Amino acid sequence: MASLACALLEDGVADDAVARVEPVTAARTARHFLFLQGLPGPFFRRLGAALRDEGALVSRINFNGGDWLDWPGPGAIAYRGTPADWPRWLEGFVDDRRITDIIVFGDLRPIHRAARVLADRRGLGFVTFEEGYLRPNHVTMERGGVNGHSSFPRSLHAVRLIADRAGALGEAVPVENRFRRRAGEATLYYAATHAAAPIFRHYRTHRHASPLREGAAWVRRYARRWAERRASRDALAGLAGRPFFLFPLQLEGDAQITAHSPFASMRDAVVQVLDAFRNAPPDVALLVKQHPLDPDVDNWRGFVTDRAATLGLSDRVAFIERFDLMPLLRVARGVVTVNSSVGPLALAAGVPVKVLGTAIYDVPGVTAAVPLDAFWRAPPPVDTGAFDIFCRALRAKSLINGGFHSEAALDLLVRNAVARLRDR
């Protein structure tokens, strides 16, 4: 990756503290899309190229070496200024380039929050991509924010109106998302970010842990993967024949927790759920499942088992790192979640869901609108008709068919994203 820093220097990225903004002299009638940070990988670059082929103007701002590796040009420049200077610099860039639309992945990164404030003030299009609300065949694409900031209605009546207007929707094309590809793209991205850190010296990651800590944690998880599988199988064997609720963990530091829930952290959520579980019927167990993309910087097994022991729940709380989700959902009595994407999967399987945070699928009549203590005792059944209406409305308004982590899925995603953007 040392050659990356040399390439950046040759491209003039390091000439100034902040790359110069040069006005665009192309036709003023064309839409001009500005891309900020995306998911590691080529999606934003390919989407930008497809929009350019449609006749649009496209620009990209890179904030670190990983961004530059994913999109080295054309149309890409570097921002090397401070976070404090970013809003003012962005405003000048938007004015000089006559930007009409800003595209981001996730609306809660600090640089994206400032961009959304500017877009709202100027009446610009602001499009947010995220992992799909309904997985694995969809990606979230919303005008404005996502999740707790989504404009998607939270009443079943309003959801039904959207579904009725959408009419019949065709079946989604199944897509394949390959974990090895995702892991490889992320590894290259963070290696490039580290290599170019002296050039982008003001950049600060939005993630919970540094890339070095995460990388070391992933190495540890890989080394103990067989031990994790054995421990998970043993934990499930201990639940044989017992009714249980599933509590899927989410990533520590995720904006889903810090911005869209009443909890300060995922650990705080675990503490409160375990504490509440003391009021559950004594014959019921709680199965806590680690997030599949968690590098385990925080040692979740140790934290959960220690907390359960402190509360006298060791014989009723089990923890697993690795196990296929769907077999668990087929036998779970219910799912308790902050706002995980496991929620819609559970509802699709007919499993009642209790949401503790703010989730786009937390619609009365779809999820359980009862206190947690009552949910432990008698989870209300899922209204499958209401959930079907919700899914059709969500697909029509907030989702596009495709995926990030295989060639076929990415090609489908780009085509559908361009069509949706063209419809504005």
Side-chain angles (χ1 to χ4, degrees), residues 325-371:
L325 182 65
M326 295 314 297
L328 299 177
L329 291 179
R330 282 195 284 269
V331 294
R333 189 173 182 185
V335 168
V336 175
T337 179
V338 179
N339 43 30
S340 168
S341 59
V342 173
L345 292 174
L347 293 167
V351 179
V353 173
K354 173 61 183 174
V355 177
L356 304 178
T358 302
I360 196 167
Y361 55 84
D362 191 21
V363 177
V366 175
T367 52
V370 298

Side-chain angles (χ1 to χ4, degrees), residues 85-140:
D85 288 335
W86 164 245
R88 177 179 52 82
W89 186 91
L90 175 64
E91 188 167 8
F93 184 93
V94 165
D95 287 343
D96 289 339
R97 295 290 181 103
R98 300 203 177 185
I99 300 298
T100 61
D101 301 82
I102 299 175
I103 298 180
V104 303
F105 184 89
D107 63 330
L108 286 174
R109 303 183 190 191
I111 56 177
H112 295 169
R113 291 185 186 190
R116 184 177 181 186
V117 169
L118 177 62
D120 289 345
R121 193 168 70 242
R122 297 291 186 83
L124 307 177
F126 188 83
V127 177
T128 305
F129 286 91
E130 255 290 0
E131 306 278 5
Y133 294 133
L134 301 178
R135 303 182 190 180
N137 299 325
H138 297 90
V139 165
T140 297

Side-chain angles (χ1 to χ4, degrees), residues 268-335:
D268 184 33
V270 170
V271 168
Q272 295 193 41
V273 169
L274 291 183
D275 186 64
F277 190 66
R278 291 185 297 176
N279 299 322
D283 63 327
V284 172
L286 180 66
L287 178 61
V288 183
K289 184 180 185 300
Q290 185 165 323
H291 193 286
L293 297 180
D294 194 321
D296 204 23
V297 172
D298 301 289
N299 183 20
W300 282 115
R301 173 174 285 278
F303 181 74
V304 171
T305 54
D306 288 350
R307 186 66 187 178
T310 299
L311 296 172
L313 296 171
S314 293
D315 61 335
R316 297 175 56 202
V317 174
F319 180 88
I320 59 173
E321 293 94 347
R322 297 174 183 266
F323 202 83
D324 187 12
L325 182 65
M326 295 314 297
L328 299 177
L329 291 179
R330 282 195 284 269
V331 294
R333 189 173 182 185
V335 168

Side-chain angles (χ1 to χ4, degrees), residues 205-222:
T205 181
H206 65 285
R207 297 179 68 83
H208 169 58
S210 71
L212 289 179
R213 283 187 68 202
E214 283 199 11
W218 275 118
V219 171
R220 287 195 302 272
R221 283 210 69 187
Y222 182 78

Side-chain angles (χ1 to χ4, degrees), residues 20-36:
R20 296 184 181 88
V21 178
E22 298 177 0
V24 171
T25 58
R28 300 302 188 187
T29 56
R31 289 173 69 186
H32 193 158
F33 293 91
L34 171 61
F35 286 79
L36 300 184

